Amino acid sequence: MASESDSFMPFEFDSPLKLLSDSSSLKAVPSKFNLTNDRTAFTSDSLPTIDFSALVGCDPHQRSKAVHHLATACQDWGFFILVNHGVPERLMSEMFREMVEFFSLADSEKKQYEAKSASDPIKCGNFNVANTSNQSFTLWREYLKLYEYTQMIRVLTRKLIEAVCEALELNQRRYVDEILKMESSFQLFATNYYPRCPQPDQAIGIPPHTDHGLFTFLIHNGVAGLQIEHDGKWFNADSPKNSILVNAADQLEV
């Protein structure tokens, strides 16, 4: 293992991750990416599903049921699958196509968006993190982050917040919206690219973490890989096509 990894040292420091992963001679994960991932994951058939159309519909009984299911999902799982959300499938497909085109650009073109500071409005790249043993490793992924306003997701967020306020029996549905000034609140659009990996158990795309903010809306292209922790166990979280997997994030939990 060590000798195989060492043979790819030029790629490890001088070439981007995509070039490394596309190399026909790549047989082992270079040492700087090495992280043993020995967690056992289970398939979750019980991840809650929330019908967004019921939350915004005119039937008070259906809305009441949907609000209750949302509150239970946030409390018990911290995740739920959002269906009938109104975001066109065509728009989601176009977004994926644009992201594939971006990550297929030559490294010289992507380099102009390389992260230089946390406040950059557009940034891409990769970075090192430290694991629990204080050892540094590099994530097996590339990312693109845009600090921008996304209108349809903002609408979903505000409607979900109204339902959360109702579940918490606050006096106004828009209480949190007004307190946090959500009309001008911060939003981040992020996309992750995970190249082919010769040893998936020896590298990781993103380490275990919690998300900042109120909600994280996760849309994937049908390729499995996302896992969530529930009651001390890790579960594969595979949301159906054209649905959105929603994480009730740290700020909402507080």
Side-chain angles (χ1 to χ4, degrees):
M1 172 64 180
S3 60
E4 288 180 318
S5 295
D6 290 344
S7 65
F8 293 97
M9 292 292 281
F11 285 109
E12 188 172 334
F13 293 100
D14 299 330
S15 300
L17 179 57
K18 187 176 187 303
L19 180 59
L20 170 64
S21 67
D22 287 346
S23 170
S24 60
S25 60
L26 180 65
K27 305 299 181 184
V29 172
S31 58
K32 77 168 184 175
F33 295 98
N34 190 259
L35 173 68
T36 301
N37 181 15
D38 57 1
R39 292 194 307 269
T40 300
F42 304 89
T43 300
S44 174
D45 297 322
S46 56
L47 198 63
T49 297
I50 304 299
D51 185 346
F52 185 75
S53 65
L55 284 175
V56 298
C58 298
D59 187 327
H61 177 65
Q62 292 297 322
R63 175 178 170 78
S64 179
K65 286 176 56 178
V67 167
H68 174 72
H69 291 157
L70 174 63
T72 302
C74 289
Q75 182 176 356
D76 292 350
W77 280 86
F79 280 86
F80 55 89
I81 297 171
L82 193 66
V83 298
N84 298 324
H85 44 71
V87 180
E89 185 174 1
R90 174 187 54 79
L91 181 61
M92 299 164 82
S93 298
E94 288 177 356
M95 179 190 68
F96 281 123
R97 184 168 61 252
E98 294 291 336
M99 292 303 99
V100 169
E101 288 184 11
F102 175 82
F103 287 114
S104 298
L105 291 174
D107 185 50
S108 57
E109 294 183 74
K110 288 188 289 186
K111 204 169 186 62
Q112 63 180 310
Y113 302 111
E114 192 173 44
K116 298 176 181 63
S117 72
S119 61
D120 289 351
I122 302 176
K123 56 185 179 181
C124 69
N126 199 304
F127 54 82
N128 296 328
V129 296
N131 65 16
T132 53
S133 301
N134 295 319
Q135 295 174 326
S136 179
F137 62 93
T138 301
L139 298 178
W140 191 269
R141 68 144 185 179
E142 292 182 8
Y143 67 84
L144 172 66
K145 295 183 178 182
L146 311 173
Y147 296 93
E148 64 174 25
Y149 176 84
T150 47
Q151 184 174 4
M152 298 197 76
I153 294 300
R154 187 177 291 265
V155 171
L156 293 182
T157 300
R158 298 177 79 166
K159 291 297 183 181
L160 288 174
I161 287 299
E162 287 184 15
V164 168
C165 288
E166 186 173 335
L168 293 174
E169 299 182 351
L170 296 175
N171 293 332
Q172 316 176 44
R173 284 187 184 179
R174 295 178 62 85
Y175 177 81
V176 173
D177 188 314
E178 294 172 359
I179 290 295
L180 296 181
K181 297 180 174 59
M182 290 184 61
E183 184 61 42
S184 58
S185 62
F186 174 83
Q187 281 183 276
L188 169 66
F189 171 82
T191 182
N192 296 308
Y193 170 70
Y194 305 99
R196 178 186 68 87
C197 184
Q199 296 174 300
D201 60 335
Q202 299 296 315
I204 192 167
I206 299 181
H209 66 281
T210 61
D211 288 345
H212 307 303
L214 289 171
F215 287 112
T216 300
F217 296 84
L218 298 155
I219 305 171
H220 67 81
N221 62 351
V223 179
L226 180 65
Q227 298 176 352
I228 64 175
E229 186 182 15
H230 176 63
D231 288 342
K233 296 181 180 179
W234 287 92
F235 291 85
N236 295 317
D238 301 324
S239 49
K241 185 179 179 181
N242 201 33
S243 66
I244 300 176
L245 181 63
V246 183
N247 173 212
D250 295 344
Q251 191 175 6
L252 183 62
E253 183 177 350
V254 171

